Amino acid sequence: MPGFVRTAVLLAPQFMEYIITLGGLAYYLIALVCAWRLSQRRASAAPLSARALPPLSILKPLCGAEPELEECLQSFFVQDYPTYELLFAVRTDIDPAVDVVNRLRRKYPNIPVRLLYTGEPPYANAKVYSMELMAAAAQHDLLVITDSDTAVAPDYLHSLASAFNDPQVGAATNLYRGVGRGDFWAWLEALGMSTEFMAGVVVAECLEGMKFTLGPSMAIRRACLNAIGGFAKMRDYLADDFVLGHWAEAAGWRVALSPHVVKHHVSTTGFMRTFKHRLRWNRSTRFSRPAGYLGQGFTYGFIWALGFFLLSPTWLTGTLLAAAFVLRLALATVVGAKLLSDRTVYAGLAFLPCQDLLSFASWLGGFVSREIVWRDERFRLLDDGRFQLVTARLRRVNF
């Protein structure tokens, strides 16, 4: 083998490390610019007048009395909004969430509320079945779907409705910040939501526009929902929030990102449970949007720089590591603390390396298998983002 070829072969891995590390640094810089642009747009947004606010139907699938459920649900009963209704869905009347809903109904008798019992879902995605039944019962044409662990401010509906002032907007979603309500591992996962995942959302919206929605808060016009085939079309998809926005955009509607921030509570406790939750999300993302999942690797600039330095400790790799660390801290501060108003980020800056290592490990784990555990059942993910049951749970629990 000629000498120059041998040298090229030996240097190829190091060259790739440089490319990936520099790509990570570039991502941090792009994310900072995108976050600044979004904050400027939010500052200049004009609210709608009360006359222009359309009536809304809020759909909330429930499963059990999870931690902070009453606090989260109550935030939807106290909305500063003229006309809206709340629809809840559980499988049976013995679900503990029923008592929580009934307490709130008595406390806020002026809010129209309906509680639906769905029975056993015929769909792989039980949440989608609940959404379909609630949409059929809803009185209004603008549907708002939020997770049970989402809490909102009183002006949430007003801000979300503003996105639909544009008739081309068929769906909308919200920024959110993580709120750790369990142990250290839940808090660390919430830190990752506020400082890592939301940064990726901001970059995606800035560079190519929104082509997906986010589960904690999404809204859709009934006309747009009908155009994409209704909720029933999502019956076999795990990432129903992704396909809702993706199909809406593909059908010619615009998907809006509301800069209004909601809270997404993280109550999972224990290292293994939170890590499995990360794995499930990563594997779902890998099969829902494979190209984007590969690109996600460039968002771990600090981890690549750290690995590069440990393998080859030189002044250059040390400089790259220092630059990556500073930019990572800046991104966490600008996105998490400033854009999302998550003041807990300041206390979490020292733990960012730990959070990023766990996130990177779960990203790699997303490539290893196509199986996930969800609601005590094992599923197999298919190449087009659908999933199918592999092993039924041994004990029956409500969705």
Side-chain angles (χ1 to χ4, degrees):
M1 179 183 296
F4 75 90
V5 175
R6 185 183 304 110
T7 301
V9 170
L10 292 175
L11 292 178
Q14 190 176 46
F15 178 74
M16 288 302 300
E17 281 280 3
Y18 276 117
I19 294 298
I20 296 174
T21 302
L22 291 173
L25 297 181
Y27 166 77
Y28 289 156
L29 290 171
I30 292 171
L32 286 168
V33 172
C34 292
W36 177 82
R37 289 181 60 182
L38 183 58
S39 64
Q40 294 297 110
R41 195 172 76 214
R42 177 169 61 186
S44 61
L48 290 178
S49 66
R51 293 181 180 178
L53 294 173
L56 304 172
S57 294
I58 303 176
L59 318 181
K60 294 192 76 71
L62 299 178
C63 170
E66 57 194 8
E68 315 297 337
L69 178 64
E70 188 159 352
E71 173 189 341
C72 291
L73 296 188
Q74 182 170 267
S75 68
F76 291 89
F77 280 83
V78 295
Q79 287 297 297
D80 183 14
Y81 199 82
T83 306
Y84 72 98
E85 63 173 348
L86 281 164
L87 293 94
F88 301 96
V90 293
R91 287 193 184 181
T92 69
D93 59 0
I94 63 172
D95 191 301
V98 172
D99 291 336
V100 177
V101 171
N102 285 333
R103 279 199 302 272
L104 291 171
R105 292 174 80 169
R106 292 191 293 269
K107 188 175 181 180
Y108 302 97
N110 294 328
I111 303 299
V113 176
R114 274 181 285 178
L115 180 60
L116 280 62
Y117 302 110
T118 68
E120 289 299 311
Y123 299 168
N125 191 327
K127 174 186 173 183
V128 166
Y129 183 61
S130 294
M131 288 157 56
E132 181 182 19
L133 295 183
M134 286 186 289
Q139 294 183 352
H140 307 307
D141 288 333
L142 195 54
L143 308 175
V144 180
I145 306 105
T146 64
D147 287 342
S148 59
D149 52 10
T150 298
V152 297
D155 61 341
Y156 160 71
L157 289 180
H158 193 289
S159 177
L160 187 58
S162 298
F164 291 90
N165 192 40
D166 181 352
Q168 297 301 313
V169 171
T173 193
N174 284 77
L175 294 171
Y176 64 85
R177 64 175 178 262
V179 179
R181 293 295 193 180
D183 56 8
F184 170 77
W185 302 108
W187 174 78
L188 201 63
E189 184 176 357
L191 178 68
M193 290 179 179
S194 295
T195 65
E196 177 196 333
F197 180 67
M198 279 297 106
V201 170
V202 169
V203 170
E205 191 269 347
C206 181
L207 296 185
E208 62 176 8
M210 290 299 291
K211 296 185 177 181
F212 54 89
T213 49
L214 303 166
S217 171
M218 48 190 182
I220 189 167
R221 296 183 194 271
R222 197 180 292 272
C224 179
L225 181 63
N226 293 336
I228 64 176
F231 286 124
K233 190 177 178 182
M234 307 171 196
R235 59 190 299 166
D236 295 322
Y237 288 85
L238 176 62
D240 53 88
D241 54 346
F242 170 78
V243 297
L244 181 73
H246 186 64
W247 290 347
E249 193 273 340
W253 296 83
R254 194 165 74 83
V255 179
L257 176 63
S258 171
H260 183 88
V261 181
V262 304
K263 297 178 182 179
H264 180 41
H265 289 222
V266 182
S267 56
T268 305
T269 58
F271 170 77
M272 286 306 301
R273 291 186 66 188
T274 55
F275 189 72
K276 287 179 179 179
H277 182 263
R278 290 175 183 258
L279 277 177
R280 188 183 77 208
W281 181 87
N282 275 289
R283 287 172 182 166
S284 172
T285 305
R286 173 192 163 199
F287 287 98
S288 296
R289 46 188 184 95
Y293 191 69
L294 285 174
Q296 184 181 325
F298 283 98
T299 67
Y300 298 108
F302 171 71
I303 301 302
W304 291 114
L306 177 61
F308 196 11
F309 175 76
L310 293 176
L311 290 173
S312 178
T314 66
W315 70 268
L316 180 56
T317 58
T319 301
L320 290 174
L321 177 59
F325 185 62
V326 170
L327 287 174
R328 181 69 181 97
L329 291 179
L331 182 61
T333 302
V334 170
V335 174
K338 302 297 184 182
L339 183 63
L340 304 180
S341 301
D342 186 352
R343 303 307 178 193
T344 65
V345 166
Y346 292 119
L349 292 178
F351 297 93
L352 278 179
C354 180
Q355 134 58 31
D356 285 4
L357 281 169
L358 279 176
S359 180
F360 182 71
S362 62
W363 175 71
L364 292 177
F367 291 102
V368 174
S369 171
R370 60 172 63 232
E371 289 193 355
I372 61 165
V373 176
W374 186 38
R375 301 290 185 185
D376 296 322
E377 293 180 331
R378 187 172 296 277
F379 295 88
R380 182 176 180 82
L381 291 161
L382 307 179
D383 289 337
D384 59 356
R386 292 178 298 118
F387 70 132
Q388 56 186 202
L389 183 66
V390 175
T391 304
R393 53 196 162 201
L394 296 178
R395 58 184 179 85
R396 185 177 299 278
V397 295
N398 291 327
F399 169 72

